[in-house]
């Protein structure tokens, strides 16, 4: 199954083709995306729309002499995307042990 990319949610069995997402190590399926809090969904959608807009602008002939500005904008956008993706990734990762009565009882040996 090396030609498939797994969803970021470990409890989800969905995968995507490697050809559609070159260089990606994980994706998020629509079902899992809808499970995210609304604020995180909006942040990801905002990042993705800015990414598409910057990509379209960089291909236009009128902007071909602005490599430095596009490099800076692309770098800042990539950092923003990494932060959003890390939040999405951490949303689906389970906490080791929840702090509660059971953990306390295990610690004291009961």
């Amino acid at each position: 199954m090396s030609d498939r990319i797994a969803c970021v949610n470990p409890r989800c069995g969905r995968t995507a083709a490697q050809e559609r997402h070159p260089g990606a190590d994980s994706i998020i399926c629509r079902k899992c995306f809808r499970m995210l809090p609304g604020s995180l969904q909006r942040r990801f959608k905002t990042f993705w729309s800015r990414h598409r807009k910057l990509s379209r602008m960089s291909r236009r002939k009128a902007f071909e002499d602005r490599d430095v500005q596009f490099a800076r904008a692309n770098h800042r956008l990539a950092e923003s995307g990494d932060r959003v993706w890390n939040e999405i990734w951490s949303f689906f990762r389970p906490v080791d042990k929840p702090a509660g009565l059971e953990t306390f009882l295990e610690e004291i040996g009961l």
Side-chain angles (χ1 to χ4, degrees), residues 6-50:
C7 180
V8 71
N9 184 356
R11 292 178 290 284
C12 179
R14 290 183 172 83
T15 60
Q18 182 75 33
E19 297 85 38
R20 289 194 64 189
H21 308 281
D25 56 351
S26 62
I27 53 120
I28 185 164
C29 66
R30 180 161 306 273
K31 178 184 157 198
C32 295
F33 184 76
R34 288 182 180 160
M35 290 171 41
L36 293 173
S39 60
L40 194 52
Q41 287 181 16
R42 282 189 301 278
R43 286 184 56 209
F44 183 79
K45 286 178 182 180
T46 301
F47 155 73
W48 197 245
S49 68
R50 289 176 181 171

Side-chain angles (χ1 to χ4, degrees), residues 22-86:
D25 56 351
S26 62
I27 53 120
I28 185 164
C29 66
R30 180 161 306 273
K31 178 184 157 198
C32 295
F33 184 76
R34 288 182 180 160
M35 290 171 41
L36 293 173
S39 60
L40 194 52
Q41 287 181 16
R42 282 189 301 278
R43 286 184 56 209
F44 183 79
K45 286 178 182 180
T46 301
F47 155 73
W48 197 245
S49 68
R50 289 176 181 171
H51 171 71
R52 285 191 317 262
K53 185 175 183 177
L54 188 63
S55 295
R56 283 192 309 266
M57 284 177 58
S58 67
R59 290 189 298 259
R60 293 180 69 191
K61 188 169 180 78
F63 295 105
E64 65 186 21
D65 62 339
R66 300 183 183 221
D67 293 334
V68 175
Q69 288 90 349
F70 278 113
R72 284 184 190 151
N74 199 19
H75 177 70
R76 294 202 49 188
L77 190 62
E79 288 177 347
S80 172
D82 289 342
R83 282 193 303 270
V84 171
W85 189 252
N86 287 336

